[in-house]
Amino acid sequence: GTLLYLNGQLLQYIFMVVLTTGLSFVLTYMFGYKDEETAEEKAETEKLVEEETTGNVPAALQDETIISPIVGSAVALSDVNDPVFSSGAMGQGIAIKPSEGVVYAPADAEVTIAFATGHAYGLKTANGAEILIHVGIDTVSMNGEGFDQKVSQGSKVKAGDIIGTFDSAKIAAAGLDDTTMVIVTNTADYASVTPVAEGTVAKGDAIIEVKA
């Protein structure tokens, strides 16, 4: 644009550029500006404010032993006939072929997700592990038939409490597999998540060791 002012107005043009640049700098320096917060940044800010005002700061993850929520036989996760689970994409863990239709709490925990269909539960333990218990493969398609949920989102449970029941015969009648997956969904937060169960698994048996 400078070439347009070579007709004798160049000095005025340069003066105008310097003046407007300086004025913009001064006004910005005096009054500043603020970027709009993204939804994620706003949520994080609100979380930090809540923690600061309530003192409810989450504790650091701790080593923990996850006990079996299902009575049955241990199955390696890699052998599950569902690539979403067998690939480890949802986290590391173990599967259990049930011999009875009861789902127990695998630790002292809070229920973070309780699917209305009763086929899956999400829990966060007192030590920070986030656990998904998924009863059967593709059992969401049963729309709750054969499942009885005993807890709801926000429920506090103790290790061994009954959180739901299911009917393996109805799952089989629907042409589905009742193999139940137990996944630590925040595996990436831990140094290691190791399945430790083999063969027959009883209520209260250790099935997964997590190391922070």
Side-chain angles (χ1 to χ4, degrees), residues 77-78 82-93 183-185 187:
L77 198 61
S78 59
D82 186 327
V84 173
F85 295 108
S86 62
S87 66
M90 296 194 68
Q92 296 301 310
I183 309 292
V184 178
T185 55
T187 290

PDB file of all heavy atoms in Angstrom, residues 77-78 82-93 183-185 187:
ATOM      1  N   LEU A  77      -8.283 -61.886  28.153  1.00  0.00           N
ATOM      2  CA  LEU A  77      -9.006 -60.870  27.398  1.00  0.00           C
ATOM      3  C   LEU A  77      -8.769 -61.016  25.901  1.00  0.00           C
ATOM      4  O   LEU A  77      -9.672 -60.785  25.090  1.00  0.00           O
ATOM      5  CB  LEU A  77      -8.571 -59.475  27.876  1.00  0.00           C
ATOM      6  CG  LEU A  77      -9.499 -58.304  27.537  1.00  0.00           C
ATOM      7  CD1 LEU A  77     -10.871 -58.502  28.159  1.00  0.00           C
ATOM      8  CD2 LEU A  77      -8.887 -56.992  28.006  1.00  0.00           C
ATOM      9  N   SER A  78      -7.580 -61.429  25.539  1.00  0.00           N
ATOM     10  CA  SER A  78      -7.250 -61.588  24.117  1.00  0.00           C
ATOM     11  C   SER A  78      -8.051 -62.704  23.446  1.00  0.00           C
ATOM     12  O   SER A  78      -8.131 -62.756  22.215  1.00  0.00           O
ATOM     13  CB  SER A  78      -5.747 -61.863  23.955  1.00  0.00           C
ATOM     14  OG  SER A  78      -5.381 -63.032  24.673  1.00  0.00           O
ATOM     15  N   ASP A  82     -14.655 -60.495  20.745  1.00  0.00           N
ATOM     16  CA  ASP A  82     -15.101 -59.127  20.470  1.00  0.00           C
ATOM     17  C   ASP A  82     -13.849 -58.264  20.381  1.00  0.00           C
ATOM     18  O   ASP A  82     -13.163 -58.052  21.384  1.00  0.00           O
ATOM     19  CB  ASP A  82     -16.023 -58.613  21.573  1.00  0.00           C
ATOM     20  CG  ASP A  82     -16.627 -57.247  21.252  1.00  0.00           C
ATOM     21  OD1 ASP A  82     -15.939 -56.439  20.594  1.00  0.00           O
ATOM     22  OD2 ASP A  82     -17.765 -56.978  21.670  1.00  0.00           O
ATOM     23  N   PRO A  83     -13.516 -57.760  19.191  1.00  0.00           N
ATOM     24  CA  PRO A  83     -12.264 -57.019  19.009  1.00  0.00           C
ATOM     25  C   PRO A  83     -12.163 -55.751  19.848  1.00  0.00           C
ATOM     26  O   PRO A  83     -11.056 -55.299  20.155  1.00  0.00           O
ATOM     27  CB  PRO A  83     -12.251 -56.704  17.509  1.00  0.00           C
ATOM     28  CG  PRO A  83     -13.677 -56.823  17.067  1.00  0.00           C
ATOM     29  CD  PRO A  83     -14.281 -57.882  17.931  1.00  0.00           C
ATOM     30  N   VAL A  84     -13.289 -55.166  20.211  1.00  0.00           N
ATOM     31  CA  VAL A  84     -13.251 -53.957  21.038  1.00  0.00           C
ATOM     32  C   VAL A  84     -12.578 -54.262  22.368  1.00  0.00           C
ATOM     33  O   VAL A  84     -11.793 -53.464  22.893  1.00  0.00           O
ATOM     34  CB  VAL A  84     -14.668 -53.397  21.267  1.00  0.00           C
ATOM     35  CG1 VAL A  84     -14.636 -52.241  22.268  1.00  0.00           C
ATOM     36  CG2 VAL A  84     -15.279 -52.936  19.953  1.00  0.00           C
ATOM     37  N   PHE A  85     -12.885 -55.441  22.924  1.00  0.00           N
ATOM     38  CA  PHE A  85     -12.298 -55.838  24.203  1.00  0.00           C
ATOM     39  C   PHE A  85     -10.969 -56.574  24.020  1.00  0.00           C
ATOM     40  O   PHE A  85      -9.998 -56.293  24.720  1.00  0.00           O
ATOM     41  CB  PHE A  85     -13.278 -56.713  24.978  1.00  0.00           C
ATOM     42  CG  PHE A  85     -14.527 -56.002  25.398  1.00  0.00           C
ATOM     43  CD1 PHE A  85     -15.742 -56.282  24.777  1.00  0.00           C
ATOM     44  CD2 PHE A  85     -14.510 -55.050  26.400  1.00  0.00           C
ATOM     45  CE1 PHE A  85     -16.902 -55.623  25.153  1.00  0.00           C
ATOM     46  CE2 PHE A  85     -15.667 -54.385  26.784  1.00  0.00           C
ATOM     47  CZ  PHE A  85     -16.864 -54.669  26.159  1.00  0.00           C
ATOM     48  N   SER A  86     -10.929 -57.509  23.097  1.00  0.00           N
ATOM     49  CA  SER A  86      -9.733 -58.353  22.950  1.00  0.00           C
ATOM     50  C   SER A  86      -8.508 -57.562  22.505  1.00  0.00           C
ATOM     51  O   SER A  86      -7.375 -57.940  22.803  1.00  0.00           O
ATOM     52  CB  SER A  86     -10.006 -59.486  21.961  1.00  0.00           C
ATOM     53  OG  SER A  86     -10.314 -58.987  20.678  1.00  0.00           O
ATOM     54  N   SER A  87      -8.720 -56.456  21.819  1.00  0.00           N
ATOM     55  CA  SER A  87      -7.603 -55.635  21.355  1.00  0.00           C
ATOM     56  C   SER A  87      -6.995 -54.793  22.471  1.00  0.00           C
ATOM     57  O   SER A  87      -5.910 -54.240  22.313  1.00  0.00           O
ATOM     58  CB  SER A  87      -8.069 -54.710  20.229  1.00  0.00           C
ATOM     59  OG  SER A  87      -9.008 -53.761  20.729  1.00  0.00           O
ATOM     60  N   GLY A  88      -7.711 -54.676  23.580  1.00  0.00           N
ATOM     61  CA  GLY A  88      -7.233 -53.820  24.668  1.00  0.00           C
ATOM     62  C   GLY A  88      -7.536 -52.354  24.438  1.00  0.00           C
ATOM     63  O   GLY A  88      -7.045 -51.495  25.180  1.00  0.00           O
ATOM     64  N   ALA A  89      -8.341 -52.041  23.424  1.00  0.00           N
ATOM     65  CA  ALA A  89      -8.638 -50.649  23.103  1.00  0.00           C
ATOM     66  C   ALA A  89      -9.338 -49.922  24.251  1.00  0.00           C
ATOM     67  O   ALA A  89      -9.171 -48.717  24.421  1.00  0.00           O
ATOM     68  CB  ALA A  89      -9.509 -50.579  21.847  1.00  0.00           C
ATOM     69  N   MET A  90     -10.108 -50.656  25.040  1.00  0.00           N
ATOM     70  CA  MET A  90     -10.827 -50.035  26.160  1.00  0.00           C
ATOM     71  C   MET A  90     -10.042 -50.111  27.460  1.00  0.00           C
ATOM     72  O   MET A  90     -10.498 -49.604  28.488  1.00  0.00           O
ATOM     73  CB  MET A  90     -12.190 -50.707  26.330  1.00  0.00           C
ATOM     74  CG  MET A  90     -13.114 -50.520  25.155  1.00  0.00           C
ATOM     75  SD  MET A  90     -14.829 -50.973  25.539  1.00  0.00           S
ATOM     76  CE  MET A  90     -15.267 -49.677  26.702  1.00  0.00           C
ATOM     77  N   GLY A  91      -8.874 -50.757  27.415  1.00  0.00           N
ATOM     78  CA  GLY A  91      -8.069 -50.927  28.618  1.00  0.00           C
ATOM     79  C   GLY A  91      -7.765 -52.388  28.859  1.00  0.00           C
ATOM     80  O   GLY A  91      -8.331 -53.280  28.209  1.00  0.00           O
ATOM     81  N   GLN A  92      -6.857 -52.631  29.781  1.00  0.00           N
ATOM     82  CA  GLN A  92      -6.474 -53.999  30.111  1.00  0.00           C
ATOM     83  C   GLN A  92      -7.399 -54.579  31.181  1.00  0.00           C
ATOM     84  O   GLN A  92      -8.024 -53.844  31.943  1.00  0.00           O
ATOM     85  CB  GLN A  92      -5.030 -54.036  30.596  1.00  0.00           C
ATOM     86  CG  GLN A  92      -4.026 -53.631  29.533  1.00  0.00           C
ATOM     87  CD  GLN A  92      -4.108 -54.517  28.305  1.00  0.00           C
ATOM     88  OE1 GLN A  92      -4.101 -55.744  28.412  1.00  0.00           O
ATOM     89  NE2 GLN A  92      -4.199 -53.898  27.127  1.00  0.00           N
ATOM     90  N   GLY A  93      -7.460 -55.889  31.232  1.00  0.00           N
ATOM     91  CA  GLY A  93      -8.323 -56.536  32.219  1.00  0.00           C
ATOM     92  C   GLY A  93      -8.386 -58.025  31.988  1.00  0.00           C
ATOM     93  O   GLY A  93      -7.437 -58.640  31.521  1.00  0.00           O
ATOM     94  N   ILE A 183     -12.739 -54.583  32.881  1.00  0.00           N
ATOM     95  CA  ILE A 183     -11.715 -53.750  32.255  1.00  0.00           C
ATOM     96  C   ILE A 183     -11.357 -52.566  33.156  1.00  0.00           C
ATOM     97  O   ILE A 183     -12.247 -51.905  33.709  1.00  0.00           O
ATOM     98  CB  ILE A 183     -12.209 -53.191  30.903  1.00  0.00           C
ATOM     99  CG1 ILE A 183     -12.750 -54.317  30.013  1.00  0.00           C
ATOM    100  CG2 ILE A 183     -11.113 -52.392  30.214  1.00  0.00           C
ATOM    101  CD1 ILE A 183     -11.719 -55.271  29.531  1.00  0.00           C
ATOM    102  N   VAL A 184     -10.074 -52.285  33.289  1.00  0.00           N
ATOM    103  CA  VAL A 184      -9.627 -51.049  33.944  1.00  0.00           C
ATOM    104  C   VAL A 184      -9.507 -50.010  32.831  1.00  0.00           C
ATOM    105  O   VAL A 184      -8.539 -50.008  32.051  1.00  0.00           O
ATOM    106  CB  VAL A 184      -8.276 -51.239  34.662  1.00  0.00           C
ATOM    107  CG1 VAL A 184      -7.806 -49.924  35.292  1.00  0.00           C
ATOM    108  CG2 VAL A 184      -8.385 -52.323  35.728  1.00  0.00           C
ATOM    109  N   THR A 185     -10.501 -49.149  32.714  1.00  0.00           N
ATOM    110  CA  THR A 185     -10.574 -48.241  31.566  1.00  0.00           C
ATOM    111  C   THR A 185      -9.550 -47.112  31.641  1.00  0.00           C
ATOM    112  O   THR A 185      -9.259 -46.485  30.618  1.00  0.00           O
ATOM    113  CB  THR A 185     -11.986 -47.650  31.422  1.00  0.00           C
ATOM    114  OG1 THR A 185     -12.371 -47.012  32.641  1.00  0.00           O
ATOM    115  CG2 THR A 185     -12.993 -48.741  31.093  1.00  0.00           C
ATOM    116  N   THR A 187      -6.414 -47.573  32.288  1.00  0.00           N
ATOM    117  CA  THR A 187      -5.154 -48.313  32.272  1.00  0.00           C
ATOM    118  C   THR A 187      -3.952 -47.398  32.048  1.00  0.00           C
ATOM    119  O   THR A 187      -2.890 -47.574  32.653  1.00  0.00           O
ATOM    120  CB  THR A 187      -5.202 -49.396  31.176  1.00  0.00           C
ATOM    121  OG1 THR A 187      -6.124 -50.424  31.562  1.00  0.00           O
ATOM    122  CG2 THR A 187      -3.838 -50.031  30.957  1.00  0.00           C
TER     123      THR A 187
END
